[in-house]
Amino acid sequence: MKEANITKDSLVAEQRQLHSAARSAHRPTPATVILVHGLWTPAAVFSLHAHWLQRRGYRTLRFGYPSVRATLAQNAEGLQRLIAATSAADIHLVGHSLGGLVILEMLAQAPDPRLRRVVLLGTPCLGSHCARRLATLSGMPALLGRSIMQWLSQTSGATASAPRSAVAIGVLAGTRRVGLGRLLPGLPLPNDGVVALAETRLPGAADFITLPVAHSEMLASRRCAAQIAAFLESGRFRHDEQAS
């Protein structure tokens, strides 16, 4: 009788292990989000967003690149190599400022078919008043770096439209005027202190939203984090929470 009970318990335990293995086998691999920083900043600036995205079940990677020393094309190639080396069925991208331009440059080439959605934070898709003004000052082209200078040389730093691909792009722009732009006359209103709202409006983007945040503040804003997650999950921002 005792032996029979042991056998029965063993069978139950074995069945539970099989069910658990089956559930694991059918559990979808979490999507990976690659975070791309902007000019003069390290990959660590995306630490908070990486943490918040991980809490939502995403796997995150931070792409660090030489924003001053390398050209825009070289940095786009570096991002492309990271994507190719990433083991994931679905990959999303989030770029802040120059990081968004690196993403757009990469998408204009041969984007990986696993790429799904992209969020651009304060990216000057249609040119940058601040960058153009700074580039005219002695010594500033070297400080702005090769990526920015290459971008400014391409059709006056303007991107005509979103690259033709299956990747959905969402644009988030700020309207809180705190930043370097306050020192440079002529930055159009509204702006986020560095980038004018009009400079962020990428033609062909799937969605666009503004929040009352400054350019650098986007990197530590929970409201931005919520909107990033909304777009990655649905391809749309939460416009009902825009003014809340």
Side-chain angles (χ1 to χ4, degrees):
M1 188 64 149
K2 184 177 181 180
E3 183 178 349
N5 286 337
I6 292 174
T7 302
K8 182 178 179 181
D9 291 343
S10 299
L11 287 172
V12 170
E14 185 176 351
Q15 287 176 343
R16 285 176 177 171
Q17 289 176 352
L18 288 172
H19 286 315
S20 177
R23 284 196 300 270
S24 297
H26 290 89
R27 188 178 300 147
T29 303
T32 293
V33 182
I34 299 178
L35 303 158
V36 187
H37 64 84
L39 180 65
W40 301 330
T41 58
V45 297
F46 261 125
S47 296
L48 279 174
H49 281 295
H51 172 69
W52 291 328
L53 286 165
Q54 287 164 11
R55 291 185 63 180
R56 289 179 175 268
Y58 292 102
R59 176 185 175 225
T60 64
L61 296 173
R62 282 173 278 169
F63 174 58
Y65 64 97
S67 63
V68 173
R69 297 193 311 274
T71 66
L72 190 65
Q74 289 169 338
N75 287 324
E77 290 170 5
L79 176 58
Q80 196 168 44
R81 287 193 296 271
L82 175 61
I83 293 169
T86 299
S87 176
D90 299 303
I91 300 174
H92 304 303
L93 303 172
V94 177
H96 178 246
S97 198
L98 173 61
L101 298 179
V102 172
I103 291 172
L104 292 176
E105 180 75 11
M106 183 275 300
L107 290 176
Q109 306 307 318
D112 192 292
R114 296 171 298 158
L115 292 175
R116 298 292 177 258
R117 292 177 180 134
V118 170
V119 177
L120 306 180
L121 304 173
T123 295
C125 305
L126 300 181
S128 169
H129 172 85
C130 285
R132 286 195 302 272
R133 289 297 298 265
L134 288 172
T136 64
L137 303 178
S138 177
M140 283 307 299
L143 187 58
L144 287 171
R146 299 176 69 193
S147 284
I148 287 291
M149 296 311 296
Q150 179 191 345
W151 171 65
L152 287 176
S153 71
Q154 296 172 351
T155 62
S156 300
T159 299
S161 61
R164 293 183 179 180
S165 70
V167 181
I169 299 177
V171 176
L172 189 155
T175 57
R176 187 164 178 256
R177 298 167 54 202
V178 177
L180 176 65
R182 294 179 68 91
L183 304 178
L184 299 173
L187 180 61
L189 297 173
N191 63 67
D192 65 6
V194 177
V195 177
L197 186 64
E199 295 169 341
T200 67
R201 290 190 176 276
L202 180 67
D207 203 1
F208 180 90
I209 194 168
T210 63
L211 292 178
V213 294
H215 193 70
S216 296
E217 190 180 2
M218 295 176 185
L219 296 166
S221 168
R222 285 186 175 273
R223 293 184 65 181
C224 284
Q227 293 293 351
I228 290 169
F231 189 86
L232 296 185
E233 290 163 7
S234 68
R236 287 288 182 273
F237 293 116
R238 291 291 304 273
H239 293 277
D240 55 325
E241 298 178 2
Q242 186 171 12
S244 62

